[in-house]
């Protein structure tokens, strides 16, 4: 597993019709915009490249491809190989209000199909995510059925990717955006199973009901461990809700601290409530961890201790450019743990 | 309003536990409060203007009408000035951009705020002429503590200014105790310079008009407000504080706690509306208020997601730990060298059956928030706990529960 040596670079294509909301979502997730700021964005000319470090182990190479017809044309012709080779993920954004989605001339879907064939030719192993965006413009009661209809239509036009394809209804006005992007990023993080293993250990040491690992800059969920009790939590959308809420808090804190988006806005938030204890703490340079515990004073002190102790382990996962030996060591630790009967 | 219900569930649960705990604890087990605090406690007792709140009061709208003992706050102003927007943003958590869809109000809308004492906030339709002699003024203005006049700062303000002065002159003889606030509203749409000019001009005109009519030094306070930032919450806080007769006591108490626990700034908040009822008497820094308000947002949200009822077994353990965790508290450490501490002072819930069979749940939720420069205040937790306990005891004495 040479992949552990260096942070992995993944190319992410962001495509879809002009005005569908690609730059808006990118700015909210990665550039610390809040939803009401995106009106300031102009149409993207050609491709806007950006590089985002995610955890220590992943570098996202974002290609925000301006969606006006003339640009799309060149992606599919003169710039075809350049655009579609080495793609890790294609995110295709559909505007839910678009009039050219279905009907006799479903231009949105036809363009999508052309993109899909180019991708199949140059990067057949890529993941494909389709976002039915601006779902806030659809009345609540119709949302599920609209998403379902669109999913079927999109699937039909997805060629060889139709099985792998994942479709989400999203809007910049609520947590649905965090749900989709959390899943997208999870599909790219290398060695997620090792991180998972460590998180399970921590869960056991702390008798936590739930542990969620967040990436520091985006507050997207990297992974989580949930106990049987925690599975009964009626808020099934809580991960993306938390991403949204914490990101908002982080954004408001930047007003007081005038600090750059890259720094850590706080070291810890703790809540002792009658029904639960919560700790949200900085774990490593790139992560925050949320731990939910049973109520009681002792629980929270013990867990804080355990989190401190776990830090070292997670730091190993965090550092850039791991030395060759680390791979074996990390894998070894993991296997040892599995042998222990977990 | 699922959030209300959920939080209230937890809150009521906690209240039940608190009361059983109170029985268990004998007085001599209470930590000995600090001397200073004792002094303020005594003075608090002397001032003691008691108002009790029936804990099982039925809160159907009809009953609110007759509950005269609650200080009433009126929102008045011309049509489209922003009264309903303010009421919805502060008391119903409406997102500011959603107010664009509000329709004109045709009947009086009443909001109740329940914390240590109950307020009513009435949103009056701008289209009614309240000065009409046929109008039953007493039903509206009788028992009013404060009036907020909402004035649209981007509109021509001649008409609202003259309507306000007419109203004040009309009411001054029958209801001389009403305190007036003018919200020069929607200032988000004005540039900073223009905004200051507008505020000065509005104030000057009102003062002149009233002076010409023979009213000197009218009891009016002016605020620049917008629903798109914290200014509306800050202004509402100030107006509310004007209705709290015990304000000096609270301030003294908060001063004492701050001094004892080395807080830079200490607040008493109504968590649901983010209105603060009192702060210590060090100068108020708008930023500090905003920080506290944002802290409340994240804590309320996280508590909603994880405050679900885990069922019987869980409650058993809860009960045995009730002494250890009497009410929620929260820490945020190291926001550029500052640390935040939040402690719920008192939790209890009122429930009432509404006709349609919906359960209307109202709760009281008062919190202390302190801002500290010292990261070790968790180590001195015992001291903080003692002070909080004494603080809470005193508050309960100032406001005994019915
Ligand atoms: N209602 C609604 N509007 C949105 C949403 N997301 C983005 N928008 C709006 O859509 C408009 C276009 O957004 P952009 O992000 O610039 O679109 P784009 O896909 O980058 O367009 P090109 O760069 O031309 O390809 C903006 O004015 C946004 O305010 C959403 O979730 N709901
Ligand atoms: N820019 C800006 N607009 C606001 C603000 N507050 C309210 N508005 C807008 O003002 C308009 C009128 O608001 P309402 O709250 O319905 O006015 P009202 O005073 O209740 O009107 P009536 O019910 O007819 O008496 C809405 O479109 C709001 O979005 C603000 O602080 N800034
Ligand atoms: Mg764009
Ligand atoms: Mg109205």
């Amino acid at each position: 597993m040479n992949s552990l040596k260096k942070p992995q670079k993944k190319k992410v294509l962001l495509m879809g019709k002009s005005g569908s909301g690609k730059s808006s979502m990118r700015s909210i997730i990665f550039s610390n915009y809040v939803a009401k700021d995106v009106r300031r964005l102009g149409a993207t000319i050609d491709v806007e490249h950006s590089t985002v470090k995610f955890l220590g182990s992943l570098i996202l190479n974002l290609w925000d491809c301006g969606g006006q017809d003339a640009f799309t044309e060149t992606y599919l012709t003169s710039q075809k190989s350049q655009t579609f080779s080495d793609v890790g993920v294609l995110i295709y954004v559909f505007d839910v209000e678009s009039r050219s989605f279905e009907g006799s001339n479903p231009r949105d879907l036809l363009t999508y199909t052309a993109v899909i064939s180019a991708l199949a030719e140059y990067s057949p192993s890529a993941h494909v995510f389709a976002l039915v965006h601006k779902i806030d413009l659809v009345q609540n009661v119709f949302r599920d059925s609209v998403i379902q209809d669109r999913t079927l239509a999109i699937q039909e036009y997805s060629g060889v990717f139709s099985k792998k394809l994942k479709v989400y209804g999203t809007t910049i006005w609520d947590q649905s955006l965090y749900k989709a992007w959390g899943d997208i990023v999870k599909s790219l993080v290398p060695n997620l199973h090792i991180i998972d293993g460590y998180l399970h250990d921590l869960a056991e040491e702390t008798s936590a009901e739930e542990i969620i690992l967040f990436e520091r800059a985006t507050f997207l969920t990297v992974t989580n461990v949930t106990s049987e009790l925690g599975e009964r939590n009626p808020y099934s959308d809580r991960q993306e809700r938390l991403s949204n809420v914490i990101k908002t808090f982080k954004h408001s804190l930047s007003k007081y601290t005038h600090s750059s988006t890259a720094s850590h806005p706080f070291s810890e938030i703790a809540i002792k409530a009658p029904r639960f204890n919560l700790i949200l703490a900085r774990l490593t340079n790139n992560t925050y961890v949320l731990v939910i515990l049973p109520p009681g004073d002792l629980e929270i002190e013990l867990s804080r201790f355990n989190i401190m102790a776990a830090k070292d382990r997670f730091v190993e996962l965090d550092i850039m450019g791991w030395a060759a030996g680390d791979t074996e060591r990390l894998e070894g630790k993991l296997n040892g743990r599995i042998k222990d009967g977990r | 309003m699922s959030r209300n219900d959920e939080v209230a569930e937890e809150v009521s649960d906690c209240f039940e536990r608190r009361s059983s705990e109170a029985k268990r604890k004998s007085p001599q087990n209470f930590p000995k409060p600090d001397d200073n605090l004792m002094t303020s406690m005594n003075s608090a007792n002397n001032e003691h203007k008691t108002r009790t709140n029936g804990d099982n009061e039925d809160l159907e709208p009809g009953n609110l009408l007759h509950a005269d003992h609650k200080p009433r706050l009126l929102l008045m102003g011309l049509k489209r000035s922003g009264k309903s927007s303010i009421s919805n943003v502060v008391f119903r958590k409406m997102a500011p951009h959603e107010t664009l869809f509000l329709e004109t109000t045709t009947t009086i809308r009443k909001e109740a705020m329940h914390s240590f004492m109950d307020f009513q906030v009435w949103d009056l339709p701008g289209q009614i002429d309240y000065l009409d002699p046929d109008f039953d003024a007493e039903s509206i203005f009788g028992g009013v503590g404060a009036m907020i006049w909402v004035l649209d700062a981007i509109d021509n303000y001649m008409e609202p200014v003259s309507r306000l002065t007419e109203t004040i002159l009309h009411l001054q003889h029958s209801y001389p105790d009403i305190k007036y606030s003018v919200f020069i509203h929607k200032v988000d749409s004005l540039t900073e310079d223009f905004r200051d000019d507008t505020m000065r001009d509005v104030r000057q005109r009102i003062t002149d008009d009233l002076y010409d009519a023979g009213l000197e030094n009218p009891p009016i306070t002016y605020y620049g407000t917008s629903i798109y930032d914290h200014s509306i919450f800050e202004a509402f806080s100030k107006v509310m504080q004007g209705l709290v007769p015990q304000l000096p006591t609270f301030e003294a108490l908060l001063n004492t706690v701050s001094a004892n626990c080395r807080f830079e700034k200490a607040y008493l908040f109504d968590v649901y509306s983010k209105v603060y009822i009192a702060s210590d008497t060090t100068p108020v820094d708008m930023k500090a208020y905003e920080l506290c308000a944002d802290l409340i947002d994240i804590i309320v949200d996280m508590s909603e997601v994880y405050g679900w009822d885990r069922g019987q077994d869980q409650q058993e353990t809860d009960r045995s730990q009730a002494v250890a965790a009497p009410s929620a508290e929260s820490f945020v450490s190291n926001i550029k060298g500052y640390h935040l501490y939040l402690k719920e002072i008192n939790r209890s819930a009122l429930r009432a059956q509404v006709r349609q069979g919906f359960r209307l749940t109202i709760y009281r939720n008062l919190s202390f928030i302190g801002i500290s420069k010292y990261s070790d205040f968790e180590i001195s937790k015992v001291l903080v706990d003692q002070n909080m306990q004494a603080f809470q005891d005193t508050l309960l004495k100032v406001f005994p529960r019915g």
Side-chain angles (χ1 to χ4, degrees):
Chain A
M1 257 225 196
N2 265 343
S3 56
L4 269 178
K5 267 188 183 174
K6 263 191 196 160
Q8 288 189 9
K9 277 191 190 158
K10 295 274 176 139
K11 177 165 158 188
V12 177
L13 282 187
L14 196 48
M15 296 185 118
K17 202 170 71 162
S18 177
S20 57
K22 302 177 292 297
S23 305
S24 304
M25 58 175 80
R26 177 175 64 98
S27 315
I28 290 173
I29 298 289
F30 296 107
S31 309
N32 238 24
Y33 273 55
V34 291
K36 67 176 196 298
D37 294 342
V38 302
R39 273 174 298 183
R40 297 203 306 255
L41 293 166
T44 308
I45 306 301
D46 292 322
V47 181
E48 234 171 81
H49 296 273
S50 52
T51 310
V52 179
K53 197 157 61 149
F54 194 87
L55 303 175
S57 53
L58 176 65
I59 290 176
L60 297 176
N61 228 327
L62 282 172
W63 290 42
D64 178 359
C65 306
Q68 298 177 57
D69 291 347
F71 303 139
T72 310
E73 190 73 39
T74 58
Y75 307 144
L76 291 168
T77 53
S78 57
Q79 295 174 2
K80 195 169 174 186
S81 72
Q82 184 194 339
T83 308
F84 290 99
S85 44
D86 297 322
V87 176
V89 168
L90 166 70
I91 301 162
Y92 203 92
V93 183
F94 291 95
D95 183 342
V96 76
E97 275 216 313
S98 166
R99 283 153 201 268
S100 48
F101 183 78
E102 273 161 319
S104 56
N105 183 17
R107 282 188 51 211
D108 296 2
L109 286 170
L110 293 175
T111 312
Y112 170 67
T113 283
V115 166
I116 283 289
S117 343
L119 188 70
E121 189 180 330
Y122 289 93
S123 301
S125 62
H127 298 270
V128 178
F129 292 85
L131 308 187
V132 179
H133 192 55
K134 306 194 186 178
I135 198 76
D136 58 294
L137 299 174
V138 177
Q139 251 184 296
N140 239 321
V141 283
F142 301 123
R143 282 185 195 173
D144 284 349
S145 71
V146 166
I147 294 170
Q148 217 169 2
D149 288 354
R150 300 288 160 97
T151 304
L152 290 176
I154 295 167
Q155 238 161 11
E156 208 177 299
Y157 285 81
S158 295
V160 293
F161 294 101
S162 63
K163 288 254 158 52
K164 275 209 288 190
L165 168 81
K166 291 207 173 112
V167 185
Y168 296 82
T170 54
T171 162
I172 56 171
W173 295 107
D174 71 23
Q175 63 264 20
S176 58
L177 193 64
Y178 290 89
K179 166 77 181 159
W181 277 88
D183 286 0
I184 290 167
V185 164
K186 261 181 234 170
S187 74
L188 292 172
V189 172
N191 310 307
L192 199 57
H193 64 292
I194 299 181
I195 303 178
D196 260 343
Y198 285 179
L199 215 57
H200 270 105
D201 286 352
L202 184 61
E204 223 150 87
E205 288 157 10
T206 53
S207 65
E209 172 186 311
E210 180 151 81
I211 300 189
I212 305 177
L213 192 69
F214 294 101
E215 195 273 332
R216 180 249 329 156
T218 58
F219 276 103
L220 291 172
T221 310
V222 179
T223 177
N224 70 298
V225 179
T226 305
S227 76
E228 232 167 87
L229 177 66
E231 294 289 0
R232 299 203 337 251
N233 188 328
Y235 293 93
S236 53
D237 61 350
R238 59 188 178 282
Q239 289 191 21
E240 51 270 25
R241 259 182 84 164
L242 290 164
S243 293
N244 194 1
V245 164
I246 304 168
K247 189 83 185 285
T248 308
F249 186 61
K250 178 189 162 182
H251 195 269
S252 44
L253 288 187
S254 63
K255 277 189 306 207
Y256 315 115
T257 59
H258 304 288
S259 59
S260 77
T261 56
S263 63
H264 292 80
F266 57 87
S267 348
E268 183 186 295
I269 295 178
I271 301 176
K272 296 183 197 175
R275 282 183 172 160
F276 66 91
N277 274 318
L278 174 152
I279 301 179
L280 173 63
R282 180 181 163 177
L283 186 66
T284 66
N285 262 336
N286 298 304
T287 56
Y288 275 89
V289 69
L290 176 83
V291 185
I292 305 300
L293 301 155
D297 269 344
L298 206 58
E299 300 284 346
I300 206 161
E301 292 314 325
L302 267 174
S303 299
R304 193 170 283 134
F305 182 78
N306 281 322
I307 293 170
M308 294 299 287
K311 265 186 187 171
D312 290 346
R313 267 178 284 159
F314 282 93
V315 165
E316 289 184 61
L317 289 171
D318 224 29
I319 33 175
M320 293 267 308
W322 287 326
D326 283 350
T327 313
E328 259 171 31
R329 200 152 53 79
L330 291 171
E331 293 279 338
K333 271 190 196 168
L334 187 69
N335 291 338
R337 207 177 40 71
I338 290 166
K339 265 188 252 145
D340 288 348
R342 264 166 279 156
Chain B
M1 302 283 288
S2 70
R3 168 193 277 188
N4 279 12
D5 281 359
E6 264 307 309
V7 177
E9 280 275 318
E10 154 142 337
V11 163
S12 81
D13 192 44
C14 178
F15 177 62
E16 280 149 30
R17 259 176 277 119
R18 277 192 46 74
S19 48
S20 59
E21 170 207 346
K23 275 180 221 126
R24 234 178 292 130
K25 266 191 178 172
S26 55
Q28 60 266 34
N29 284 348
F30 279 122
K32 184 183 169 296
D34 176 84
D35 282 337
N36 287 336
L37 200 52
M38 276 301 230
T39 325
S40 359
M41 280 164 72
N42 290 335
S43 68
N45 278 337
N46 297 337
E47 275 179 44
H48 202 115
K49 273 196 189 170
T50 316
R51 268 169 354 83
T52 48
N53 302 308
D55 258 8
N56 292 313
E57 194 171 16
D58 203 340
L59 272 139
E60 286 176 26
N63 283 356
L64 277 182
L65 254 180
H66 303 293
D68 306 335
H69 61 287
K70 296 171 188 163
R72 193 183 303 156
L73 208 152
L74 297 184
L75 280 165
M76 287 187 78
L78 300 193
K79 270 169 41 172
R80 308 287 298 160
S81 57
K83 302 176 292 297
S84 304
S85 307
I86 293 173
S87 173
N88 279 290
V89 167
V90 177
F91 295 101
R92 297 198 166 264
K93 305 279 129 197
M94 183 181 272
H97 64 267
E98 287 173 37
T99 62
L100 290 168
F101 306 112
L102 282 175
E103 287 178 10
T104 186
T105 313
T106 51
T107 58
I108 298 176
R109 300 219 25 179
K110 297 155 189 166
E111 298 289 345
M113 172 172 149
H114 304 273
S115 57
F116 63 103
M117 65 195 258
D118 294 345
F119 293 101
Q120 292 177 54
V121 178
W122 287 16
D123 170 15
L124 302 192
Q127 52 185 270
I128 297 178
D129 180 10
Y130 300 91
L131 308 185
D132 188 323
D134 292 339
F135 197 82
D136 177 11
E138 179 62 23
S139 70
I140 303 234
F141 300 106
V144 166
M147 179 194 293
I148 296 172
W149 188 273
V150 183
L151 185 146
D152 187 339
I154 42 182
D155 214 13
N156 182 339
Y157 48 75
M158 291 310 181
E159 198 193 339
V161 162
S162 64
R163 281 276 289 278
L164 169 62
T165 52
E166 278 168 37
T167 307
I168 292 177
L169 293 169
H170 182 80
L171 295 176
Q172 66 169 325
H173 293 297
S174 314
Y175 310 102
D177 295 332
I178 296 180
K179 292 174 183 158
Y180 296 90
S181 303
V182 176
F183 284 9
I184 298 161
H185 191 55
K186 311 191 189 180
V187 289
D188 53 282
S189 318
L190 304 181
T191 62
E192 198 129 323
D193 282 353
F194 196 53
R195 168 183 171 161
D196 292 344
D197 287 349
T198 307
M199 290 198 48
R200 205 174 307 119
D201 195 37
V202 167
R203 183 188 205 131
Q204 194 61 51
R205 278 170 199 280
I206 293 173
T207 312
D208 290 351
D209 280 7
L210 289 174
Y211 186 86
D212 292 345
L215 186 60
E216 273 181 70
N217 301 321
I220 306 179
T221 318
Y222 297 83
Y223 303 91
T225 56
S226 163
I227 54 170
Y228 287 96
D229 58 32
H230 290 84
S231 60
I232 191 64
F233 296 96
E234 179 100 33
F236 234 104
S237 301
K238 290 289 179 203
V239 174
M240 291 287 192
Q241 287 164 24
L243 296 179
V244 180
Q246 300 86 347
L247 186 63
T249 313
F250 289 163
E251 289 177 344
L253 275 169
L254 288 166
N255 280 343
T256 310
V257 174
S258 283
N260 288 348
C261 305
R262 298 197 296 180
F263 287 120
E264 297 282 300
K265 188 79 197 157
Y267 291 94
L268 197 56
F269 264 88
D270 175 72
V271 168
Y272 188 67
S273 64
K274 290 190 282 180
V275 160
Y276 75 96
I277 282 124
S279 74
D280 66 340
T281 51
T282 58
V284 174
D285 167 10
M286 179 76 175
K287 285 235 169 73
Y289 167 78
E290 291 178 5
L291 187 59
C292 295
D294 292 335
L295 173 71
I296 288 174
D297 279 341
I298 188 172
I299 288 176
V300 166
D301 273 322
M302 297 211 279
S303 300
E304 182 185 353
V305 167
Y306 288 108
W308 54 287
D309 184 357
R310 283 148 177 90
Q312 213 44 52
D313 305 355
Q314 184 72 22
Q315 277 185 3
E316 288 296 317
T317 24
D318 272 10
R319 216 159 271 138
S320 65
Q321 284 166 347
V323 180
S327 60
E329 61 184 338
S330 175
F331 298 92
V332 181
S333 56
N334 214 357
I335 301 166
K336 204 176 189 186
Y338 283 95
H339 310 273
L340 295 180
Y341 170 69
L342 176 148
K343 169 89 173 172
E344 262 176 318
I345 293 302
N346 186 25
R347 296 177 133 213
S348 74
L350 295 177
R351 291 180 194 186
Q353 226 50 46
V354 167
R355 250 178 246 113
Q356 297 88 344
F358 289 113
R359 204 186 62 216
L360 176 72
T361 322
I362 305 111
Y363 62 99
R364 296 149 193 281
N365 203 344
L366 200 62
S367 283
F368 170 92
I369 299 185
I371 302 177
S372 173
K373 267 189 184 161
Y374 300 94
S375 61
D376 64 344
F377 73 104
E378 272 228 68
I379 301 167
S380 54
K381 185 71 182 23
V382 182
L383 179 68
V384 174
D385 283 348
Q386 282 179 2
N387 273 275
M388 281 299 123
Q389 184 67 55
F391 183 68
Q392 177 160 328
D393 291 347
T394 313
L395 282 184
L396 289 179
K397 276 183 200 134
V398 183
F399 294 106
R401 317 297 300 279

